[in-house]
Amino acid sequence: NSLGYRSREFSADKTPGVYRIALLGGSSTYTVAVLDNEKTFPYQLERILRDDYGHPHVEVVNAGVNGYNSWESLINLQFRVLDIDPDLVIIYHATNDVHARLVEPSAYRGDNSGRRKQWNLPCMALWEQSVFARFVGRNLGLSNQVVLETAVTSSRYVGLGGNEADNMGATVEVLRKNPPVYFRRNLNNMVSVARGNNVSLAFATWAHSPHFGDYASAEPYQIGFKEHNQVVKEVAVESGTLLYEFASFMPTERKYWADGRHVNEDGALLKAQLFAKFIDGSGVIDE
């Protein structure tokens, strides 16, 4: 919309009596695999809270951004989401923060520079000057113009390093050398930012499906998901923040998923139903 969110048009100046919920996260919050905005998880969450739970004054803002990790959501909360005066912010992160740990250990630091670099497009070959040729090249995997990851990924990022068992073992070792200390710090900072601005906060554990054979099923990510969900639970308990153990309730069956990380339309509906039940049951809206 005009404010840059994947949501219907709304005013940054909240209407009196409206209870505004902002959902922060990456592509799984944005609901990248669902093209129809009215079938995304955040849109349906608003509809269900209004129609099924009797909260007609609720607004849900999809503040998720593809590729965002906890560093970027912390910035998003501080400098963007606070401006729309949310009553409740729900944080939903894990997989992109596993990416951030798969960097050369010497480059793993609090500013995320091991994972991210200043925006810089790769050199464009002469044939890529043609839009048609570039389109064909992108679809054939011959061109990196313009691919977000190419533009922002640091040369110190190692990723999975291949699918061979030896490479998987080396990647697990990198993960162990780079514990989720910055993920924990970013979550704690979100708690502080929210409380300092009189905004309620909730954390949700991250769900996935291991049945697609993509990187979400690889050993390093399976380890990382468990570690990050454990951090989410610990930060919530230590800070007295609302916690939804969503990963315990969301089915892993393929019929709900487009891939190992992103829900399809059926999954988006179920996800919205589960979150609505949690939010209504928590009593936070009535408070």
Side-chain angles (χ1 to χ4, degrees):
N1 62 18
S2 59
L3 294 175
Y5 295 95
R6 188 184 185 182
S7 293
R8 65 163 69 91
E9 285 295 330
F10 64 91
S11 173
D13 297 322
K14 190 171 59 181
T15 302
V18 164
Y19 188 90
R20 183 169 285 172
I21 301 172
L23 305 178
L24 264 69
S27 55
S28 52
T29 296
Y30 185 88
T31 322
V32 68
V34 178
L35 299 181
D36 184 346
N37 187 56
E38 294 188 5
K39 294 182 179 179
T40 60
F41 150 59
Y43 192 102
Q44 297 200 81
L45 175 59
E46 177 182 287
R47 177 184 57 78
I48 293 168
L49 284 171
R50 287 182 173 188
D51 297 346
D52 297 351
Y53 288 94
H55 300 295
H57 55 297
V58 164
E59 286 183 355
V60 176
V61 177
N62 185 348
V65 181
N66 295 348
Y68 267 22
N69 54 34
S70 63
W71 280 268
E72 291 142 338
S73 283
L74 173 59
I75 296 169
N76 194 15
L77 172 61
Q78 174 71 71
F79 296 116
R80 188 163 172 252
V81 173
L82 288 180
D83 287 345
I84 62 172
D85 192 20
D87 296 284
L88 172 65
V89 171
I90 300 177
I91 309 296
Y92 186 64
H93 270 299
T95 184
N96 293 334
D97 281 82
V98 179
H99 297 336
R101 292 170 59 193
L102 298 181
V103 302
E104 296 174 13
S106 62
Y108 185 55
R109 53 180 61 94
D111 64 0
N112 200 26
S113 57
R115 168 64 172 150
R116 298 294 195 211
K117 68 177 182 179
Q118 184 175 353
W119 182 282
N120 183 32
L121 293 177
C123 294
M124 184 176 287
L126 183 62
W127 67 270
E128 290 178 306
Q129 302 291 329
S130 164
V131 173
F132 176 75
R134 193 162 65 246
F135 173 79
V136 174
R138 277 290 302 274
N139 281 277
L140 294 177
L142 301 176
S143 173
N144 287 323
Q145 300 287 345
V146 176
V147 181
L148 175 63
E149 287 299 315
T150 302
V152 300
T153 297
S154 167
S155 60
R156 311 298 293 277
Y157 176 66
V158 297
L160 284 176
N163 294 319
E164 297 83 4
D166 290 345
N167 286 332
M168 285 292 106
T171 305
V172 170
E173 185 61 25
V174 168
L175 201 66
R176 288 173 177 158
K177 290 180 179 179
N178 299 335
V181 291
Y182 302 124
F183 179 61
R184 180 185 297 271
R185 187 172 74 180
N186 292 342
L187 298 187
N188 277 318
N189 286 342
M190 290 184 205
V191 172
S192 297
V193 168
R195 287 184 174 168
N197 290 274
N198 298 314
V199 176
S200 296
L201 192 72
F203 291 117
T205 55
W206 199 78
H208 72 285
S209 174
H211 304 307
F212 285 82
D214 56 8
Y215 71 74
S217 64
E219 183 184 6
Y221 281 88
Q222 290 289 302
I223 293 172
F225 296 156
K226 292 178 182 178
E227 290 178 340
H228 286 204
N229 278 343
Q230 183 61 32
V231 169
V232 167
K233 289 186 280 188
E234 290 173 0
V235 170
V237 170
E238 292 164 4
S239 63
T241 302
L242 198 62
L243 171 68
Y244 180 34
E245 295 200 43
F246 173 64
S248 299
F249 295 98
M250 184 65 190
T252 63
E253 287 93 333
R254 291 175 64 100
K255 65 179 181 178
Y256 296 113
W257 298 85
D259 55 39
R261 297 97 60 208
H262 306 109
V263 293
N264 56 24
E265 289 186 3
D266 290 339
L269 174 58
L270 178 58
K271 186 175 180 179
Q273 292 169 335
L274 291 171
F275 267 84
K277 182 177 180 180
F278 161 72
I279 293 169
D280 179 72
S282 73
V284 65
I285 296 177
D286 297 328
E287 291 174 6

